[in-house]
Amino acid sequence: MVDKNLENKNENLNEEIKIDNAKEKDKDVNEVNNNVDHGELGDLTDTKKATQNVDELLEKYDLDSSKLRKLSGKTALLVTVVAILMSAFHLFTAARGTLLAMQQRSLHLIFAFSLGFALYPGFKKSSKNKIDIPDWILIILSIVVWGYIFTNIEYIALKGGKMSTIDEVFGILAILLTLEVTRRVVGPELPIVTIVFLLFAYFGRHMPGILNHRGFGITRIVSHMYMTTEGIMGTPLGVSSTFVFMFILFGSFLDKTGVGQFFIDFAYALTGSTRSGPAMTSVVSSGLMGSISGSSVANTVTTGAFTIPLMKKVGYAPYYAGAVEATSSTGGQIMPPVMGAAAFIMADFTGFQYIEIVKAAVIPAVLYYIAVGTMVHLEACKIGLKGLPREQLPKISNIILKQGYLLFPLIAIVYMLVKQQPPMNAALAGIVVGVVVAFIAALVKKDGSFTYKSVLQAMESGAKGALGVACACACAGMIVGVVTLTGFGLKIAEVIVKIAQGRLIPTLILTMISSIILGMGLPTTAKYIVLATMAVPAITKLGVNLMCAHLFILYFGVVADVTPPVALAAYAGAGIAGANSMKTGFQAFKLALGAFIIPYIFCINPHLVMIDKVVGTTISWLPITAALPNIATALIGTMCLAGCVEGYLFGRLRPWQRIILIIAALGLLDPKTLTDIIGLCALAFIFISQKLLNKNKAQAA
């Protein structure tokens, strides 16, 4: 959602600056850094200097931005108007109430498909600066096919599933249009998976063993996918057309107010004096920005343009700097209060209120960032880095006084969620507060930083930023439709449990592997939808409560962005740093190791997410007094894990010490008294052994 907002800011600059390779990138970055005065934060975070190549990097690494057309003239104006109308429609329904489910979703698809076919060319040889005639035809077909649903909702409901010839023709067109627009906007992987599922629904009677089912005719499949809320217009699209779009739009408005710059300024003032300096700034600012951003790649590029050059300057290796930014940015999708789009779909899938998901996710998310922050700090200690003197950094109080008003929209959202208001209303409140505050600030400063034009730009970029999620949800809805039509989800659950021989850990490992494989091509939202449909039943069948099971697959859907061989966020970080992509990817994987262990812990013992038990969709929360010991030991365990990965704790660790330290980490992360005692004893042993070794070295010297 953030990447679209940078277009206007960098348009003129990108015409002048073109970087051909990694060496030239490094050269330009060093020239910027040589002119940086560490006593003036404004120079450190100057947008014009640091974001020279943001658009190019987004187009290269972000699936939603790659191959995006650069339109001009009347066509560009028409597309802008349609995008603004899309945002206006969602703002109106958020304020006055949504339409009937199929009407809300069909109109959402008319906007999304029209913009998708207009902005994304079909092939590499297609025009990049105008809409081709075949694309205009596809746009018209999209309007007709989904307009038919929108205008004939009562007629369709009265027919009770019976299809006329025109219904069947429109249904087939709807499926083909969904596959094609998703291929363009998201990539070919999700449509291919969807086609496999559709073929499975048709050829079911020919499938072997447990995959066999009676099979369904084309008419039945088309009816299920087109004329019900079980297919294309299923739950995923329902969430996209309400909660998700509004929060994407909220992020777009926040970006126009300059909140991203505030996060970076605040984080640098807070952490610049630590040993890890800019690296810790990256962790904090990316976590803050990521909590309102729905894209790991966009977050990596926007904040990384500032933090990665600074990390390299103070002594971090280029690949390490890129990995820190990628890992920090990716974690934003599991960081409350906003989290990523998949969290809203999770709320609808499970029946839990969104605020309950936030409450359960907050401790694991904080542990994730503590693990990453500890690792970069220990790396700084290991290579002997030092932070800046506090007097050379701006005062946090000054930043808050000058820019603290930018937090009001976030405060409004948190307040609304705590009051258990619908997420749509919370997002609307955040947008209204953000606009009002930005207008007042612009009037007081008299700098024209926020105008009515800014509102229209935010509405345009918000609509464009939502296209990837909307198309992915529509396409993934067909996968869910096949699963519900054939009962395939329960069969897959049986297969997984059978392969794992009814044991929980092997079942979780199989689920994790499935997520990582899906992560090679699918966006987080689509990965979550597929796994929620097929893998969650297997996990819950073995006694894991519903909340923890869904959080488990959400975590692994997110960390796939920093898991080689296809780690797009890490590759974007490598592009900025001028580092080897695969080396950056594996370093990011190491830094994100906490996210690979913590989900196993809360599936085994949900006390780590402050849950006592779950009955249906009713959660019995663990009292904070009872949860504090678990949180404390998990915090120490997370630091032990960081030390093991970095090979440094109180000093450099020997191989046998790292083995003992991982035992301490796992023992402390598991919220049980016995394992906590074992973990603390192991940690104490490491502390004593390191002190003795350091003492012996000092005496020998």
Side-chain angles (χ1 to χ4, degrees), residues 391-687:
E391 58 270 15
Q392 291 188 18
L393 294 169
K395 292 182 179 180
I396 297 176
S397 57
N398 290 341
I399 292 176
I400 293 176
L401 286 173
K402 291 180 180 179
Q403 299 175 276
Y405 65 89
L406 294 171
L407 293 177
F408 287 163
L410 283 173
I411 294 171
I413 277 196
V414 173
Y415 174 80
M416 294 288 283
L417 291 175
V418 169
K419 288 294 184 180
Q420 298 188 349
Q421 294 295 312
M424 247 176 92
N425 294 354
L428 180 62
I431 291 171
V432 172
V433 171
V435 170
V436 171
V437 167
F439 269 126
I440 293 173
L443 288 173
V444 171
K445 294 179 180 178
K446 298 180 180 180
D447 59 358
S449 57
F450 195 86
T451 64
Y452 292 107
K453 185 178 179 181
S454 302
V455 173
L456 295 177
Q457 288 173 343
M459 292 173 71
E460 178 188 1
S461 58
K464 291 178 179 179
L467 295 183
V469 175
C471 295
C473 286
C475 200
M478 288 193 279
I479 296 175
V480 177
V482 170
V483 170
T484 57
L485 186 64
T486 63
F488 183 61
L490 295 176
K491 291 182 178 181
I492 284 294
E494 291 175 9
V495 171
I496 292 174
V497 173
K498 187 175 181 180
I499 293 173
Q501 298 180 346
R503 291 176 294 179
L504 178 59
I505 296 300
T507 301
L508 294 176
I509 291 173
L510 287 173
T511 305
M512 177 189 73
I513 293 171
S514 300
S515 180
I516 292 172
I517 292 173
L518 287 173
M520 293 181 183
L522 303 187
T524 303
T525 306
K527 281 178 284 191
Y528 171 77
I529 292 169
V530 173
L531 288 171
T533 306
M534 295 188 295
V536 164
I539 301 173
T540 55
K541 194 173 183 179
L542 296 176
V544 176
N545 72 59
L546 190 63
M547 174 71 83
C548 292
H550 278 268
L551 281 175
F552 182 88
I553 62 171
L554 177 63
Y555 262 66
F556 286 109
V558 168
V559 297
D561 285 341
V562 289
T563 305
V566 183
L568 293 179
Y571 297 165
I576 299 173
N580 178 274
S581 296
M582 194 57 66
K583 192 173 183 180
T584 304
F586 278 107
Q587 182 60 51
F589 173 80
K590 285 173 61 179
L591 291 170
L593 195 59
F596 286 86
I597 294 177
I598 292 170
Y600 286 90
I601 302 301
F602 62 64
C603 278
I604 296 170
N605 191 330
H607 287 182
L608 190 60
V609 291
M610 293 195 300
I611 291 176
D612 188 16
K613 60 181 178 180
V614 176
V615 179
T617 57
T618 302
I619 300 177
S620 176
W621 295 99
L622 200 66
I624 188 66
T625 52
L628 278 176
N630 295 329
I631 297 171
T633 55
L635 179 61
I636 300 171
T638 299
M639 294 178 177
C640 291
L641 177 66
C644 179
V645 171
E646 286 297 325
Y648 190 98
L649 195 58
F650 307 109
R652 288 187 179 272
L653 293 168
R654 297 184 178 184
W656 63 269
Q657 290 175 319
R658 295 176 79 165
I659 294 172
I660 295 175
L661 194 58
I662 193 63
I663 294 172
L666 294 175
L668 289 163
L669 283 168
D670 186 3
K672 294 176 184 173
T673 303
L674 179 59
T675 56
D676 287 344
I677 292 172
I678 293 172
L680 288 171
C681 289
L683 178 59
F685 178 78
I686 292 296
F687 176 77

